[in-house]
Structures are given as structure tokens and as C-alpha cells.
Amino acid sequence: MAGNHITVFYKWTAHPGKLAELTSIYKKVTTAMEQNEPGAEAVHIYVSEEDNAVYVRDEFTDAAAMGFHLQSTAADHFPQLLSIATPGPFFFLGDVPSELKQATQQMQLGGEFSTHAAGFDR
């Protein structure tokens, strides 16, 4: 894993009857990230009807790209998401600066943070 890449895995649990709406919002989030966030390398949304939840994996080039996401796309959709779902947990993998950790705490994401220890890419 090169540089200051950051991966974020997280879950949103939909309120009863709101999974389709939650999924629809996340399709819009994905489009917004693809079109407006050059530092967003990948976004993948997984839907679990059994858990009434979406699981998301975001990949960012670095902390600046993740910070831009939190201030733009995430901020734009967060109120609507909170009205239909419960966030968390959020797992941040990579070198996340303390100011971004604080921002996630203010958003009450239940964030957990880990730095990269080992691995490989093919």
C-alpha cells in the first residue's frame, strides 16, 4: 500500500422500511464522488436485506481527499442519511490526521482508526 492512502469501511443500518431509500441515496453519493472528487479512488456499496443495511468501502488517495469528501459529498447527504438510518461503525485504515479524527467524532460516526502494518497488492 503506497503513500498516505486511506480506506474507510462502514455500515448504515436503515430504519424499518427505509432500505430502498438508503440504497438510492448511496447511489447518488457514489455518482457525486465519481464526478466531483478526484481524490476518491473507489467507492463500493453492498446491500444486505438480512441486516437492513448498506456496507460501504471508500478509497481515498490521502487524508486531504478524505477531508474534502467529509466537507462536500458527505456533508451534503449526512442530514438525509441520519433521518432514515443509523451510522456506524466506521473503520478508518491509514494515516488519518488528528483533525480528521476529531471531525469524525463530531459527526458521531463511532470511528475506529488503524495504521497499515503489512500486506501486498497484485
Side-chain angles (χ1 to χ4, degrees), residues 9 12 19 22 24 26 32 37 40 50 62-63 72 79 82 89 96 101 106:
F9 291 101
W12 281 91
L19 183 58
L22 178 60
S24 176
Y26 257 95
E37 296 186 32
E50 182 178 323
D62 55 24
S72 60
L82 283 175
V96 178
K101 288 180 181 178
Q106 290 172 349

Side-chain angles (χ1 to χ4, degrees), residues 18-28 45 47 54 84:
K18 297 293 185 177
L19 183 58
E21 185 177 353
L22 178 60
T23 302
S24 176
I25 292 169
Y26 257 95
K27 288 179 181 179
K28 292 174 188 172
I45 312 303
V47 178
V54 295
I84 63 162

Side-chain angles (χ1 to χ4, degrees), residues 50-69:
E50 182 178 323
D51 293 339
N52 195 44
V54 295
Y55 295 88
V56 183
R57 186 188 91 210
D58 295 337
E59 302 281 345
F60 298 101
T61 55
D62 55 24
M66 187 184 92
F68 180 82
H69 170 73

